[in-house]
Amino acid sequence: MSAARAIGLMLGLAADGALGNPRRRPPVTAFRRLASVPAAPAPASVRSVVAGLGVTAAAVAVGVVAERAGRGRPVIQAATTAVTTWAVVGAAGLATQGTELARDLEEGRLEPARGTLSELDTRVADSLGMIGLSRAAVETLAENTSEVVVAPLLWGALAGVPGLLASRMISVLRQTARGTGRHHWAVERIDELIHLIPTRAAAALTVLAAPVVGGSAGGAWRAWRRDTIAHPSPNAGRVEAAFAGALEIRVGGRTVYPHGVVELPVLGVGRNPDAGHVTRAVELSRVVGWLAGATSVVVAVTVGLRHRKS
């Protein structure tokens, strides 16, 4: 069964690359609508969060049923894992939007760049100039590489279809909550727990991937280990710091969100990023995604072997 799960993950990742991940892909759009937390007075907002968590629990329950249906049936398990992986992993879409961002920045088209950035991140982009947009693009590419590529693949390897669904649904629920300017402690804590290992795995894979795009593995390692100590979140900033170190640039600092201004620690050393660094960040994201796919296969096979021994 470990082999079937590993094959399903690879098939789903290949389907994401071959078919792409357009902005209106039905599964992702459905997740976002179901997990939506509208801007509402506190009591209504709390009810919306509870509803979103309920939808997430229901999706995980469906995943558990699908996983059990595949026990002893490798073809079914591989197929359900592949379809779910395709539905939740966003590597192709991230690369497409990152490439659009880099192209618009290279051509000096700031308004389209702000629009694309707003689709990926909840920060306020209206007043960002070339440097600010480039910095935000690198940060967003790094964070999304962890959230929509590495995390689903690792949880899929560890827990199969339920892991894939839980990882993606919680991320969407957290993003929609932040998009309204509200931070819900339950969603934030669950999200932090789910991404505790994937963010560190993504940072480690970034260190390995850095030389492939002409980056600095040592710089990625040092920025990851040094600069994230001051970050207020146990997860946020890990991959961003690794990306900054790999590209030998600085990110972080003053960031404006709908709920207010946040002063984040500066991550990395070197120059301010530009459009060229955004292009390299897209390539780095791709390589990290490939490495995450290979890692998920190893993890799935290892988990399967341990279950057999027990």
Side-chain angles (χ1 to χ4, degrees):
M1 300 307 290
S2 59
R5 180 179 293 175
I7 290 171
L9 289 168
M10 287 299 93
L11 288 175
L13 191 58
D16 175 65
L19 302 177
N21 186 12
R23 291 172 174 79
R24 298 186 181 278
R25 178 189 280 185
V28 176
T29 302
F31 289 159
R32 190 166 288 110
R33 287 176 178 173
L34 288 172
S36 178
V37 182
S45 183
V46 170
R47 288 196 296 271
S48 297
V49 171
V50 172
L53 290 173
V55 170
T56 300
V60 173
V62 171
V64 170
V65 172
E67 192 71 17
R68 289 183 176 178
R71 287 181 181 175
R73 302 171 181 175
V75 174
I76 293 178
Q77 186 180 46
T80 55
T81 302
V83 171
T84 308
T85 301
W86 169 78
V88 304
V89 171
L94 182 61
T96 298
Q97 290 177 282
T99 301
E100 289 179 8
L101 262 172
R103 183 175 61 249
D104 288 336
L105 291 172
E106 286 173 356
E107 297 174 357
R109 300 192 300 157
L110 301 188
E111 280 305 315
R114 292 184 184 116
T116 303
L117 178 65
S118 296
E119 294 178 9
L120 292 168
D121 191 85
T122 59
R123 76 183 69 198
V124 178
D126 296 345
S127 62
L128 294 179
M130 180 65 70
I131 293 176
L133 285 169
S134 298
R135 182 203 117 191
V138 173
E139 292 174 355
T140 300
L141 285 165
E143 183 178 4
N144 277 278
T145 298
S146 176
E147 289 198 357
V148 306
V149 183
V150 178
L153 288 173
L154 286 184
W155 279 110
L158 288 168
V161 174
L164 286 161
L165 292 172
S167 173
R168 188 64 159 128
M169 287 290 286
I170 287 296
S171 290
V172 170
L173 184 59
R174 189 215 65 190
Q175 289 170 356
T176 54
R178 286 185 177 178
T180 67
R182 297 181 181 276
H183 287 253
H184 299 273
W185 68 267
V187 176
E188 294 286 339
R189 298 296 82 77
I190 295 172
D191 182 77
E192 287 176 357
L193 181 62
I194 283 180
H195 289 95
L196 199 64
I197 294 175
T199 51
R200 287 150 181 79
L205 294 176
T206 301
V207 174
L208 294 176
V212 180
V213 298
S216 170
W221 170 260
R222 287 189 294 272
W224 170 27
R225 304 308 299 168
R226 178 192 64 224
D227 297 339
T228 54
I229 294 175
H231 206 285
S233 169
N235 296 327
R238 267 61 183 175
V239 186
E240 293 176 17
F243 265 60
L247 300 175
E248 299 177 291
I249 56 174
R250 296 194 309 271
V251 299
R254 185 176 186 272
T255 306
V256 181
Y257 291 100
H259 59 276
V261 178
V262 179
E263 294 291 343
L264 297 173
V266 175
L267 309 174
V269 295
R271 57 181 291 188
N272 288 319
D274 56 27
H277 292 109
V278 177
T279 299
R280 291 176 64 200
V282 173
E283 295 305 315
L284 183 57
S285 175
R286 283 196 177 103
V287 177
V288 171
W290 297 335
L291 292 175
T295 302
S296 69
V297 169
V298 174
V299 171
V301 171
T302 302
V303 169
L305 290 175
R306 286 187 176 181
H307 284 171
R308 286 183 183 180
K309 290 180 180 180
S310 61

